[in-house]
Amino acid sequence: MHPHVTVITLTVDDLERAVAFYRDGLGWPTQGIIGTEFENGAVAFFNLQGGLKLGLWPRRSLAADTGLPLSPRHAVGLDVALGHNVGSRDEVDAVMRLVTRAGAHTVKPAQDTFYGGYAGYFRDPDGHLWEVVFNPGLAELG
């Protein structure tokens, strides 16, 4: 298997609310909700860098598609954290202000990190954990 990820799909409880957060609140471009003509087909995609796409899909639709039972969302939600790397401490602060205005919940305000960077954490309206980070050594990793 070639190490290549093309889509990261976040499951959501309210697709319209989630699209509004990323599109209207964060300013990410999208065609909006597509696939509504299909049962469990409503989905939204956002183009990210390098051809990567962020998909938003209702949890019940993923359960139906996979055949897995619809389970409650994890209370702690430490299974995955998405990282948004920026070029400076000021950019971290600006993004944290933006996501807060858009309706995100600040988990940890931006602060100095143990590795010499600067980072903060937030949850989107569906509880997905994001880190906004300035890591001056990121280019040298892996």
Side-chain angles (χ1 to χ4, degrees):
M1 181 176 171
H2 179 68
H4 181 74
V5 175
T6 54
V7 177
I8 296 172
T9 301
L10 301 179
T11 58
V12 299
D13 290 324
D14 181 331
L15 184 56
E16 290 182 7
R17 178 189 68 193
V19 168
F21 175 78
Y22 288 97
R23 180 193 60 212
D24 305 334
L26 304 188
W28 291 11
T30 180
Q31 293 180 21
I33 298 171
I34 61 171
T36 56
E37 67 273 22
F38 305 107
E39 182 178 5
N40 297 310
V43 64
F45 292 102
F46 297 83
N47 291 321
L48 306 177
Q49 80 286 352
L52 182 64
K53 293 186 183 302
L54 176 71
L56 301 177
W57 202 20
R59 291 176 64 248
R60 64 177 164 20
S61 297
L62 182 61
D65 193 50
T66 62
L68 294 171
L70 181 62
S71 59
R73 278 196 289 157
H74 296 283
V76 177
L78 293 176
D79 297 327
V80 174
L82 300 167
H84 179 72
N85 288 274
V86 296
S88 71
R89 296 168 60 96
D90 288 342
E91 285 182 74
V92 171
D93 290 335
V95 171
M96 291 297 290
R97 284 191 302 272
L98 174 69
V99 300
T100 300
R101 283 193 308 269
H105 168 74
T106 299
V107 172
K108 182 179 179 182
Q111 56 193 264
D112 292 328
T113 65
F114 66 90
Y115 54 83
Y118 186 73
Y121 287 92
F122 72 89
R123 287 191 186 278
D124 74 7
D126 284 279
H128 299 291
L129 186 63
W130 285 82
E131 179 186 29
V132 181
V133 59
F134 165 60
N135 182 342
L138 183 64
E140 289 79 42
L141 300 176

